[in-house]
PDB file of all heavy atoms in Angstrom:
ATOM      1  N   ILE A 109    -176.962  37.868 -28.031  1.00  0.00           N
ATOM      2  CA  ILE A 109    -176.589  36.555 -27.488  1.00  0.00           C
ATOM      3  C   ILE A 109    -177.752  35.604 -27.748  1.00  0.00           C
ATOM      4  O   ILE A 109    -178.911  35.972 -27.562  1.00  0.00           O
ATOM      5  CB  ILE A 109    -176.337  36.630 -25.963  1.00  0.00           C
ATOM      6  CG1 ILE A 109    -175.249  37.649 -25.629  1.00  0.00           C
ATOM      7  CG2 ILE A 109    -176.033  35.272 -25.372  1.00  0.00           C
ATOM      8  CD1 ILE A 109    -173.848  37.225 -25.938  1.00  0.00           C
ATOM      9  N   TYR A 110    -177.429  34.387 -28.173  1.00  0.00           N
ATOM     10  CA  TYR A 110    -178.434  33.360 -28.446  1.00  0.00           C
ATOM     11  C   TYR A 110    -178.100  32.166 -27.565  1.00  0.00           C
ATOM     12  O   TYR A 110    -176.973  31.675 -27.600  1.00  0.00           O
ATOM     13  CB  TYR A 110    -178.411  32.961 -29.929  1.00  0.00           C
ATOM     14  CG  TYR A 110    -178.452  34.166 -30.833  1.00  0.00           C
ATOM     15  CD1 TYR A 110    -177.271  34.739 -31.309  1.00  0.00           C
ATOM     16  CD2 TYR A 110    -179.655  34.754 -31.177  1.00  0.00           C
ATOM     17  CE1 TYR A 110    -177.303  35.863 -32.117  1.00  0.00           C
ATOM     18  CE2 TYR A 110    -179.691  35.874 -31.987  1.00  0.00           C
ATOM     19  CZ  TYR A 110    -178.518  36.418 -32.456  1.00  0.00           C
ATOM     20  OH  TYR A 110    -178.548  37.534 -33.250  1.00  0.00           O
ATOM     21  N   VAL A 111    -179.084  31.685 -26.797  1.00  0.00           N
ATOM     22  CA  VAL A 111    -178.820  30.605 -25.853  1.00  0.00           C
ATOM     23  C   VAL A 111    -179.864  29.512 -26.014  1.00  0.00           C
ATOM     24  O   VAL A 111    -181.058  29.788 -26.095  1.00  0.00           O
ATOM     25  CB  VAL A 111    -178.849  31.132 -24.396  1.00  0.00           C
ATOM     26  CG1 VAL A 111    -178.595  30.011 -23.413  1.00  0.00           C
ATOM     27  CG2 VAL A 111    -177.833  32.249 -24.207  1.00  0.00           C
ATOM     28  N   GLY A 112    -179.396  28.278 -26.063  1.00  0.00           N
ATOM     29  CA  GLY A 112    -180.253  27.099 -26.076  1.00  0.00           C
ATOM     30  C   GLY A 112    -179.766  26.145 -25.005  1.00  0.00           C
ATOM     31  O   GLY A 112    -178.794  26.441 -24.306  1.00  0.00           O
ATOM     32  N   PRO A 113    -180.399  24.985 -24.859  1.00  0.00           N
ATOM     33  CA  PRO A 113    -180.007  24.062 -23.798  1.00  0.00           C
ATOM     34  C   PRO A 113    -178.525  23.665 -23.819  1.00  0.00           C
ATOM     35  O   PRO A 113    -177.925  23.515 -22.773  1.00  0.00           O
ATOM     36  CB  PRO A 113    -180.893  22.846 -24.034  1.00  0.00           C
ATOM     37  CG  PRO A 113    -182.047  23.363 -24.807  1.00  0.00           C
ATOM     38  CD  PRO A 113    -181.533  24.503 -25.627  1.00  0.00           C
ATOM     39  N   HIS A 114    -177.927  23.537 -25.001  1.00  0.00           N
ATOM     40  CA  HIS A 114    -176.522  23.125 -25.080  1.00  0.00           C
ATOM     41  C   HIS A 114    -175.708  23.982 -26.030  1.00  0.00           C
ATOM     42  O   HIS A 114    -174.624  23.580 -26.447  1.00  0.00           O
ATOM     43  CB  HIS A 114    -176.427  21.653 -25.494  1.00  0.00           C
ATOM     44  CG  HIS A 114    -177.121  20.743 -24.531  1.00  0.00           C
ATOM     45  ND1 HIS A 114    -176.614  20.466 -23.280  1.00  0.00           N
ATOM     46  CD2 HIS A 114    -178.302  20.095 -24.611  1.00  0.00           C
ATOM     47  CE1 HIS A 114    -177.451  19.660 -22.651  1.00  0.00           C
ATOM     48  NE2 HIS A 114    -178.484  19.429 -23.428  1.00  0.00           N
ATOM     49  N   PHE A 115    -176.241  25.157 -26.375  1.00  0.00           N
ATOM     50  CA  PHE A 115    -175.541  26.019 -27.317  1.00  0.00           C
ATOM     51  C   PHE A 115    -175.560  27.460 -26.834  1.00  0.00           C
ATOM     52  O   PHE A 115    -176.486  27.897 -26.155  1.00  0.00           O
ATOM     53  CB  PHE A 115    -176.183  25.948 -28.709  1.00  0.00           C
ATOM     54  CG  PHE A 115    -175.992  24.614 -29.361  1.00  0.00           C
ATOM     55  CD1 PHE A 115    -176.953  23.629 -29.223  1.00  0.00           C
ATOM     56  CD2 PHE A 115    -174.843  24.349 -30.095  1.00  0.00           C
ATOM     57  CE1 PHE A 115    -176.768  22.377 -29.806  1.00  0.00           C
ATOM     58  CE2 PHE A 115    -174.655  23.105 -30.676  1.00  0.00           C
ATOM     59  CZ  PHE A 115    -175.615  22.123 -30.532  1.00  0.00           C
ATOM     60  N   LEU A 116    -174.510  28.195 -27.215  1.00  0.00           N
ATOM     61  CA  LEU A 116    -174.398  29.617 -26.917  1.00  0.00           C
ATOM     62  C   LEU A 116    -173.855  30.285 -28.173  1.00  0.00           C
ATOM     63  O   LEU A 116    -172.824  29.870 -28.709  1.00  0.00           O
ATOM     64  CB  LEU A 116    -173.440  29.832 -25.742  1.00  0.00           C
ATOM     65  CG  LEU A 116    -172.979  31.257 -25.442  1.00  0.00           C
ATOM     66  CD1 LEU A 116    -174.170  32.139 -25.082  1.00  0.00           C
ATOM     67  CD2 LEU A 116    -171.970  31.242 -24.314  1.00  0.00           C
ATOM     68  N   GLY A 117    -174.552  31.294 -28.659  1.00  0.00           N
ATOM     69  CA  GLY A 117    -174.105  32.032 -29.829  1.00  0.00           C
ATOM     70  C   GLY A 117    -173.962  33.498 -29.504  1.00  0.00           C
ATOM     71  O   GLY A 117    -174.648  34.030 -28.628  1.00  0.00           O
ATOM     72  N   ILE A 118    -173.046  34.146 -30.205  1.00  0.00           N
ATOM     73  CA  ILE A 118    -172.853  35.580 -30.039  1.00  0.00           C
ATOM     74  C   ILE A 118    -172.558  36.174 -31.412  1.00  0.00           C
ATOM     75  O   ILE A 118    -171.829  35.583 -32.217  1.00  0.00           O
ATOM     76  CB  ILE A 118    -171.713  35.898 -29.041  1.00  0.00           C
ATOM     77  CG1 ILE A 118    -171.544  37.413 -28.878  1.00  0.00           C
ATOM     78  CG2 ILE A 118    -170.418  35.204 -29.429  1.00  0.00           C
ATOM     79  CD1 ILE A 118    -170.611  37.814 -27.744  1.00  0.00           C
ATOM     80  N   HIS A 119    -173.146  37.336 -31.672  1.00  0.00           N
ATOM     81  CA  HIS A 119    -172.865  38.067 -32.909  1.00  0.00           C
ATOM     82  C   HIS A 119    -172.153  39.360 -32.520  1.00  0.00           C
ATOM     83  O   HIS A 119    -172.631  40.101 -31.661  1.00  0.00           O
ATOM     84  CB  HIS A 119    -174.141  38.388 -33.680  1.00  0.00           C
ATOM     85  CG  HIS A 119    -173.862  39.215 -34.892  1.00  0.00           C
ATOM     86  ND1 HIS A 119    -173.294  38.671 -36.023  1.00  0.00           N
ATOM     87  CD2 HIS A 119    -174.023  40.535 -35.130  1.00  0.00           C
ATOM     88  CE1 HIS A 119    -173.133  39.636 -36.914  1.00  0.00           C
ATOM     89  NE2 HIS A 119    -173.577  40.772 -36.397  1.00  0.00           N
ATOM     90  N   ALA A 120    -171.024  39.623 -33.169  1.00  0.00           N
ATOM     91  CA  ALA A 120    -170.224  40.805 -32.855  1.00  0.00           C
ATOM     92  C   ALA A 120    -170.367  41.862 -33.951  1.00  0.00           C
ATOM     93  O   ALA A 120    -169.838  41.690 -35.037  1.00  0.00           O
ATOM     94  CB  ALA A 120    -168.760  40.402 -32.715  1.00  0.00           C
ATOM     95  N   PRO A 121    -171.072  42.943 -33.692  1.00  0.00           N
ATOM     96  CA  PRO A 121    -171.174  44.017 -34.682  1.00  0.00           C
ATOM     97  C   PRO A 121    -169.822  44.710 -34.918  1.00  0.00           C
ATOM     98  O   PRO A 121    -169.571  45.228 -35.987  1.00  0.00           O
ATOM     99  CB  PRO A 121    -172.176  44.993 -34.070  1.00  0.00           C
ATOM    100  CG  PRO A 121    -172.832  44.272 -32.963  1.00  0.00           C
ATOM    101  CD  PRO A 121    -171.908  43.182 -32.531  1.00  0.00           C
ATOM    102  N   THR A 122    -168.965  44.704 -33.885  1.00  0.00           N
ATOM    103  CA  THR A 122    -167.636  45.305 -33.987  1.00  0.00           C
ATOM    104  C   THR A 122    -166.593  44.274 -33.565  1.00  0.00           C
ATOM    105  O   THR A 122    -166.913  43.319 -32.856  1.00  0.00           O
ATOM    106  CB  THR A 122    -167.513  46.541 -33.080  1.00  0.00           C
ATOM    107  OG1 THR A 122    -167.751  46.135 -31.725  1.00  0.00           O
ATOM    108  CG2 THR A 122    -168.521  47.624 -33.469  1.00  0.00           C
ATOM    109  N   SER A 123    -165.368  44.475 -33.977  1.00  0.00           N
ATOM    110  CA  SER A 123    -164.316  43.522 -33.625  1.00  0.00           C
ATOM    111  C   SER A 123    -163.816  43.758 -32.201  1.00  0.00           C
ATOM    112  O   SER A 123    -163.938  44.862 -31.665  1.00  0.00           O
ATOM    113  CB  SER A 123    -163.159  43.618 -34.620  1.00  0.00           C
ATOM    114  OG  SER A 123    -162.606  44.910 -34.586  1.00  0.00           O
ATOM    115  N   GLY A 124    -163.273  42.681 -31.610  1.00  0.00           N
ATOM    116  CA  GLY A 124    -162.690  42.800 -30.276  1.00  0.00           C
ATOM    117  C   GLY A 124    -162.944  41.574 -29.427  1.00  0.00           C
ATOM    118  O   GLY A 124    -163.621  40.631 -29.827  1.00  0.00           O
ATOM    119  N   LYS A 125    -162.377  41.616 -28.219  1.00  0.00           N
ATOM    120  CA  LYS A 125    -162.530  40.508 -27.269  1.00  0.00           C
ATOM    121  C   LYS A 125    -163.891  40.578 -26.600  1.00  0.00           C
ATOM    122  O   LYS A 125    -164.393  41.661 -26.302  1.00  0.00           O
ATOM    123  CB  LYS A 125    -161.443  40.563 -26.209  1.00  0.00           C
ATOM    124  CG  LYS A 125    -160.077  40.153 -26.713  1.00  0.00           C
ATOM    125  CD  LYS A 125    -159.137  39.932 -25.545  1.00  0.00           C
ATOM    126  CE  LYS A 125    -157.757  39.605 -26.035  1.00  0.00           C
ATOM    127  NZ  LYS A 125    -157.624  38.250 -26.493  1.00  0.00           N
ATOM    128  N   ARG A 126    -164.465  39.414 -26.382  1.00  0.00           N
ATOM    129  CA  ARG A 126    -165.737  39.292 -25.672  1.00  0.00           C
ATOM    130  C   ARG A 126    -165.555  38.279 -24.543  1.00  0.00           C
ATOM    131  O   ARG A 126    -164.965  37.217 -24.756  1.00  0.00           O
ATOM    132  CB  ARG A 126    -166.855  38.795 -26.586  1.00  0.00           C
ATOM    133  CG  ARG A 126    -167.080  39.583 -27.858  1.00  0.00           C
ATOM    134  CD  ARG A 126    -167.442  41.028 -27.558  1.00  0.00           C
ATOM    135  NE  ARG A 126    -168.075  41.731 -28.633  1.00  0.00           N
ATOM    136  CZ  ARG A 126    -167.458  42.296 -29.653  1.00  0.00           C
ATOM    137  NH1 ARG A 126    -166.162  42.213 -29.787  1.00  0.00           N
ATOM    138  NH2 ARG A 126    -168.139  42.966 -30.568  1.00  0.00           N
TER     139      ARG A 126
END
Side-chain angles (χ1 to χ4, degrees):
I109 302 285
Y110 310 93
V111 179
H114 300 288
F115 292 93
L116 169 62
I118 181 170
H119 176 75
T122 60
S123 61
K125 287 193 183 283
R126 306 300 199 278

